[in-house]
């Protein structure tokens, strides 16, 4: 029996084992769904910082302490609009360059989606040139504000 043949047998065996494990876990989940959901809820409540730290490390390569340090350096404010973290329902987003991976700062949800998420330096330069002008020369007329008709008192 060659080493390649042994590897193929082991690979097939591992695939069967993975399928059995997957079936077992699905069956166990269905049998103990309420208990497992309660355990998960309890664990999540007791380990919020641990879960956040693991996510920041996995997604952005920084620890929760480094995130807090960035937030402190920005005085708890969005790096673009200066909205305070306490005014947000969510943690600030870790804004980073998708090409280089460099973290630029922490942004509120609005700024991250509206300003940074859809733009590059090139599109921002085009937007700047557009706003700077020249423009069409046409103007929207000013609106005439009418006083509401108030009936006279008798």
């Amino acid at each position: 029996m060659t080493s390649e043949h042994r590897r193929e047998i082991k690979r097939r065996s591992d695939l069967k084992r993975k399928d059995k494990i997957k079936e077992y876990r699905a069956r166990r989940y269905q049998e103990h769904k309420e208990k497992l959901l309660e355990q998960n809820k309890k664990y999540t409540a007791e380990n919020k910082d641990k879960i956040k730290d693991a996510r920041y490390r996995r997604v952005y390569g920084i620890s929760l302490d480094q995130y807090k340090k960035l937030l402190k350096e920005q005085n708890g404010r969005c790096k673009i609009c200066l909205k305070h973290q306490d005014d947000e329902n969510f943690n600030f987003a870790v804004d980073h360059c998708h090409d280089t991976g460099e973290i630029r700062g922490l942004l509120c949800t609005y700024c991250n989606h509206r300003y940074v998420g859809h733009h590059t330096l090139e599109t921002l330069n085009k937007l700047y040139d557009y706003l700077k002008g020249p423009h069409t020369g046409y103007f929207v007329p000013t609106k005439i504000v009418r006083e509401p008709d108030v009936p006279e008192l008798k």
Side-chain angles (χ1 to χ4, degrees), residues 54-137:
R55 181 176 181 277
Y56 288 137
R57 286 179 187 276
R58 184 182 70 250
V59 178
Y60 304 111
I62 62 172
S63 68
L64 179 60
D65 289 337
Q66 289 170 313
Y67 176 91
K68 289 178 179 178
K69 182 181 174 192
L70 286 171
L71 190 61
K72 187 176 180 181
E73 288 172 0
Q74 293 179 204
N75 296 317
R77 298 186 176 279
C78 171
K79 204 158 188 180
I80 294 176
C81 71
L82 305 179
K83 182 189 287 184
H84 199 275
Q85 170 70 54
D86 295 341
D87 299 336
E88 282 284 290
N89 293 329
F90 303 100
N91 286 335
F92 282 164
V94 179
D95 177 46
H96 62 286
C97 176
H98 287 254
D99 294 332
T100 65
E102 181 180 12
I103 295 173
R104 295 182 282 230
L106 305 177
L107 302 179
C108 70
T109 305
Y110 185 85
C111 289
N112 189 46
H113 287 271
R114 297 289 180 198
Y115 298 132
V116 180
H118 301 289
H119 295 287
T120 63
L121 207 48
E122 182 182 343
T123 60
L124 288 174
N125 282 331
K126 287 180 181 179
L127 177 61
Y128 174 78
D129 291 342
Y130 167 75
L131 291 174
K132 193 170 65 171
H135 302 294
T136 63

Side-chain angles (χ1 to χ4, degrees), residues 23-58:
E23 289 171 11
Y24 167 77
R25 286 182 178 163
R27 190 174 59 249
R28 183 174 182 273
Y29 178 77
Q30 289 304 319
E31 291 170 0
H32 305 284
K33 189 174 186 175
E34 299 298 323
K35 182 181 175 185
L36 292 170
L37 288 173
E38 189 60 40
Q39 286 175 347
N40 189 31
K41 190 176 183 180
K42 181 181 176 188
Y43 179 85
T44 301
E46 293 173 355
N47 296 285
K48 286 184 179 184
D49 283 350
K50 185 177 179 180
I51 293 167
K52 281 182 186 178
D53 184 65
R55 181 176 181 277
Y56 288 137
R57 286 179 187 276
R58 184 182 70 250

